[in-house]
Amino acid sequence: MTQQADSPRRSPAPDPDPPASLLAELRDAITPHATLLVVGVLALQLLFIASYVGALHHPKLRDAPFGVVAPPAVAEQTVARLERLPGEPLDPRTVADAAAARELILNREIDGALLVDPARTTDTLLVASGGGRSLATALTTLVGTLERSEGRTLRTVDVSPADLGDANGLTSFYLVVGWCVGGYLCASALAVSAGARPTDLRRGAIRLAALAVFSALGGLGGAVIAGPVLGALPGSVAALWGLGTLVVFAVGAATLALQCVFGIAGIGVAVLLVVIAGNPSAGGALPLPLLPPFWAAIGPALPPGAGVWVARSIAYFEGNDVTVALLVLSAWATAGAAITLVMAALRRTPEPRPSEA
């Protein structure tokens, strides 16, 4: 039997023009809508970095309200000297006596006070680390340096110290951040499950009602965890519960409203306002007198800043000076709910669910 010579094995024919095929697949995958979303995420990422680093990288005292207690002539000289400090770290004013200075600190009208005793070589500095340990430390460092330059010594008294379970005075900040995250995540979940824009007034009202229930549960849970469970924050659990409910609802309602206006991109706008702008300016890691002017200006008008201010007041300042911050939170909640209902009532055609889009 004659063995036939092996014929050369043919390799499989290559796919026609692989680069062209790959480019076609990429064009199909990278749609204009996907490209826009990726660009938006990149912008949020860069803004996040710029905001946090810009706000927190170089803490510096600016215009911290500060009291001076001393005999009239000495008080005037001391105030004038503090006003001339480079960079204007303090906003000094005379205070009648030590009791008045303590009251002003507890009322959150001033951040600290210097009690000057001309008959001795030691003066007393009153601070309140419950309002932010970094602020109390900055005041102690600044005034201590000034006292040493005058050949005097300084004794520091903390009139409202941070709780032992709140070592760095940051529990109130993280508690409010958690409430804010819950608010916009709840609103985002409603958008993902049923479309960014409610299709009629009834559905808009249902979303707000669901958000209200979620807010009450989230507010209570946060207050109980930070208080009785972990012992990380003193103060009334009922008051913190009420604050938490308002913070969650304010952020959630604002996110619902932004979704009604901008569609699913409204979630990104909410992240921009609450996380990127709101968190670093909230006065948590650095209280307002230590923040750069821009962040110090916007912080009190945003939910995180208003929430942190009220939480610290509840925990350490007998609930004083909370009216403006509560009005800010109420304004966000009211405006968010109103815009959601109005936009829902104006809807004429149903928006397809994400699964149907």
Side-chain angles (χ1 to χ4, degrees):
M1 181 177 232
T2 305
Q3 186 176 3
Q4 295 181 351
D6 292 338
S7 59
R9 183 175 298 174
R10 295 182 179 180
S11 59
D15 292 336
D17 198 2
S21 176
L22 179 60
L23 288 174
E25 292 180 6
L26 288 174
R27 281 197 300 269
D28 291 338
I30 305 177
T31 63
H33 180 67
T35 302
L36 184 61
L37 287 177
V38 170
V39 171
V41 171
L42 176 61
L44 287 177
Q45 171 187 297
L46 297 179
L47 286 171
F48 183 98
I49 295 171
S51 182
Y52 278 71
V53 175
L56 307 177
H57 78 290
H58 183 52
K60 181 180 178 183
L61 270 174
R62 292 177 176 85
D63 294 321
F66 191 78
V68 174
V69 177
V74 176
E76 291 180 7
Q77 294 175 359
T78 303
V79 168
R81 179 162 61 100
L82 296 178
E83 287 177 335
R84 292 194 300 268
L85 290 175
E88 299 181 347
L90 301 177
D91 178 16
R93 74 286 308 268
T94 58
V95 178
D97 52 37
R102 287 174 176 268
E103 184 177 358
L104 289 174
I105 292 173
L106 292 177
N107 288 337
R108 309 200 74 179
E109 295 183 40
I110 59 176
D111 293 321
L114 178 63
L115 313 183
V116 181
D117 186 354
R120 300 183 180 180
T121 60
T122 299
D123 297 328
T124 301
L125 174 67
L126 304 182
V127 296
S129 61
R133 190 174 297 279
S134 57
L135 176 57
T137 301
L139 289 173
T140 301
T141 301
L142 174 65
V143 178
T145 300
L146 294 174
E147 290 286 286
R148 285 192 297 272
S149 70
E150 297 289 330
R152 302 179 66 81
T153 58
L154 185 68
R155 181 176 72 100
T156 301
V157 177
D158 197 338
V159 300
S160 183
D163 193 76
L164 292 177
D166 185 18
N168 294 315
L170 292 175
T171 299
S172 55
F173 171 63
Y174 290 123
L175 176 61
V176 171
V177 167
W179 281 330
C180 290
V181 169
Y184 68 73
L185 285 184
C186 178
S188 301
L190 292 172
V192 170
S193 63
R197 298 180 177 94
T199 55
D200 54 41
L201 181 59
R202 174 176 169 274
R203 292 180 183 273
I206 290 174
R207 290 193 186 189
L208 288 171
L211 175 63
V213 173
F214 177 88
S215 301
L217 294 174
L220 176 60
V224 171
I225 291 171
V229 174
L230 297 179
L233 195 68
S236 166
V237 172
L240 289 173
W241 178 13
L243 170 64
T245 301
L246 181 56
V247 169
V248 176
F249 189 82
V251 173
T255 305
L256 287 177
L258 291 168
Q259 290 169 173
C260 287
V261 175
F262 298 106
I264 201 70
I267 297 175
V269 180
V271 170
L272 175 64
L273 290 173
V274 176
V275 179
I276 294 176
N279 286 353
S281 65
L286 296 178
L288 297 181
L290 289 170
L291 289 173
F294 172 76
W295 283 268
I298 67 172
L302 297 173
V308 169
W309 183 270
V310 177
R312 281 181 170 160
S313 289
I314 291 171
Y316 297 116
F317 297 94
E318 303 174 356
N320 292 324
D321 195 23
V322 298
T323 302
V324 173
L326 289 176
L327 287 175
V328 168
L329 291 170
S330 300
W332 281 90
T334 302
I339 292 172
T340 299
L341 293 175
V342 169
M343 295 295 289
L346 294 176
R347 291 284 294 169
R348 290 291 180 266
T349 57
E351 179 175 293
R353 295 171 179 252
S355 60
E356 300 171 355

